[in-house]
Amino acid sequence: QVQLVESGGGLVQPGGSLRLSCVASGSIFSINAMGWYRQAPGKERELVATMTRGGSTNYGDSVKGRFTISRDNAKNTVSLQMSSLKPEDTAVYYCNAGVRLTMTSKYSELWGQGTLVTVSS
């Protein structure tokens, strides 16, 4: 079974740091973009950061300069280093990846189950 599994969420004080990790497991031929989205209570899911297989990145405006995305193509992992966290960063963070299961299949979108990040004193 192909799936994305996140880890690293939790409670952190304002101004603190936290690192999220996500691994894609199962029989995967290739992965295109990997990244993170988040959804706060009562709000729509929004982009946090994505990275292509080649290393190009895209960040949401609210996290630029504070969050850093990285990935290991060989291990099918993507991480998000979050610094200078604010209460408004509180949300469920979802890992996302475009995966191709076989050489002839099209890319399909996978989502993780989400990990909760709470920024509060």
Side-chain angles (χ1 to χ4, degrees):
Q1 182 181 0
V2 178
Q3 59 181 348
L4 300 177
V5 180
E6 302 113 332
S7 61
L11 174 64
V12 62
Q13 291 187 342
S17 298
L18 204 61
R19 185 177 181 86
L20 305 181
S21 295
C22 171
V23 58
S25 63
S27 179
I28 297 172
F29 178 75
S30 68
I31 300 177
N32 190 4
M34 295 187 81
W36 296 91
Y37 291 74
R38 68 186 183 186
Q39 187 166 20
K43 295 188 177 182
E44 294 185 353
R45 191 172 296 188
E46 65 174 0
L47 167 71
V48 177
T50 60
M51 179 180 278
T52 67
R53 186 172 184 83
S56 296
T57 58
N58 185 31
Y59 290 93
D61 289 340
S62 61
V63 306
K64 286 180 181 177
R66 299 189 298 122
F67 292 9
T68 302
I69 189 171
S70 59
R71 68 183 280 181
D72 185 329
N73 291 333
K75 296 181 178 180
N76 288 344
T77 61
V78 63
S79 297
L80 184 71
Q81 180 65 45
M82 304 183 292
S83 302
S84 302
L85 283 161
K86 306 175 183 179
E88 49 263 43
D89 293 317
T90 295
V92 177
Y93 285 70
Y94 295 92
C95 181
N96 173 271
V99 303
R100 194 162 60 160
L101 303 183
T102 68
M103 188 172 62
T104 57
S105 64
K106 296 180 180 180
Y107 280 102
S108 57
E109 195 171 36
L110 277 185
W111 291 93
Q113 79 285 355
T115 185
L116 178 62
V117 172
T118 303
V119 184
S120 175
S121 55

